[in-house]
Amino acid sequence: EVQLVESGGGLVQPGGSLRLSCAASGFTFSSYWMSWVRQSPGKGLEWVANIKQDGSEKYYVDSVEGRFTISRDNAKNSLYLQMNSLRAEDTAVYYCARGGYNFGSWGQGTLVTVSS
Amino acid sequence: DIQMTQSPSTLSACVGDRVTITCRASQSINNWLAWYQQKPGKAPKLLIYKASSLESGVPSRFSGSGSGTEFTLTISGLQPDDFATYYCQLYNTYSQVRFGQGTKLEIK
């Protein structure tokens, strides 16, 4: 069974940093593109970033380009999202998802709150 | 950037009804469109990919159609479990992944 478990969310002040992690199991992690998708409270879904199997290609939504960095460790079956210069509008539940553009499996999400 | 317009934003229907949700792209995306269902407090669930391909395990009452710029999700014979929010999603390239605004399907 595919499992994706996010961690690392929490309360952070504007301008601060946070690193999210996603532990994957139940499939061959190194064979899949992986993505982060977020959802602000009461709002719709927004794709944030994705990363190729070997990490050689990475793409970001314009609003996080230059502030967020997606990475992966295939030896640890883990996906990461380093978030710097956080803003109030980054407040959201962040989901880890399997796939680069079709998301067939999702984690339960981790809440990031940016507030002073 | 390609823009997505999903309609309606809210839809009221009864159990047993047939409903249709529409998604329009500002330019052709061939058939690179998916549909998701999301229930409150839960992660989204993939229903349809490549505009009309049913994800494994999804009931056959869900169907997708369209290509180019106009797409539809149809649910035939609504079940109580189907009342949720639905999102379309384009994926023109790995760097162009965008969700529609969502359609909340409510019980009439």
Side-chain angles (χ1 to χ4, degrees):
Chain A
E1 179 195 3
V2 173
Q3 277 206 317
L4 298 167
V5 180
E6 302 94 337
S7 61
L11 175 63
V12 60
Q13 292 189 338
S17 297
L18 214 53
R19 189 195 196 207
L20 305 184
S21 299
C22 171
S25 61
F27 65 102
T28 305
F29 180 74
S30 59
S31 296
Y32 287 85
W33 279 75
M34 295 295 294
S35 299
W36 289 97
V37 177
R38 68 184 178 183
Q39 186 168 35
S40 299
K43 302 294 185 183
L45 300 166
E46 181 180 43
W47 166 76
V48 174
N50 55 19
I51 184 169
K52 195 176 180 179
Q53 289 92 330
D54 62 359
S56 61
E57 292 182 42
K58 305 174 185 181
Y59 301 100
Y60 301 90
V61 68
D62 287 348
S63 59
V64 309
E65 184 85 56
R67 300 188 298 123
F68 289 11
T69 302
I70 189 171
S71 62
R72 65 191 296 162
D73 185 336
N74 288 340
K76 294 183 177 179
N77 291 338
S78 294
L79 177 73
Y80 306 101
L81 186 68
Q82 177 65 43
M83 304 186 295
N84 298 331
S85 303
L86 282 161
R87 306 166 180 168
E89 54 264 36
D90 295 318
T91 294
V93 173
Y94 285 75
Y95 294 102
C96 165
R98 188 177 76 169
Y101 50 65
N102 271 175
F103 310 125
S105 297
W106 299 65
Q108 83 289 350
T110 187
L111 176 62
V112 172
T113 303
V114 184
S115 174
S116 55
Chain B
D1 283 359
I2 301 174
Q3 303 304 313
M4 303 295 296
T5 303
Q6 185 176 340
S7 61
S9 55
T10 306
L11 181 56
S12 297
C14 298
V15 172
D17 283 355
R18 180 177 182 268
V19 298
T20 298
I21 300 169
T22 298
C23 202
R24 289 186 176 87
S26 58
Q27 63 189 73
S28 177
I29 57 171
N30 296 309
N31 63 347
W32 301 117
L33 188 106
W35 291 96
Y36 296 82
Q37 175 194 69
Q38 187 180 32
K39 296 182 179 178
K42 300 292 187 182
K45 173 186 174 183
L46 178 64
L47 300 174
I48 302 282
Y49 61 96
K50 270 191 192 175
S52 59
S53 296
L54 194 67
E55 175 74 349
S56 176
V58 174
S60 58
R61 63 180 179 273
F62 292 92
S63 62
S65 64
S67 66
T69 62
E70 186 152 338
F71 304 86
T72 58
L73 171 70
T74 300
I75 312 172
S76 301
L78 273 173
Q79 298 299 303
D81 191 51
D82 299 339
F83 292 95
T85 300
Y86 293 85
Y87 294 92
C88 62
Q89 177 229 333
L90 75 86
Y91 47 101
N92 204 36
T93 65
Y94 279 106
S95 62
Q96 281 214 66
V97 181
R98 193 159 293 125
F99 289 90
Q101 301 91 333
T103 295
K104 186 174 183 180
L105 177 56
E106 299 177 329
I107 300 176
K108 187 184 286 185

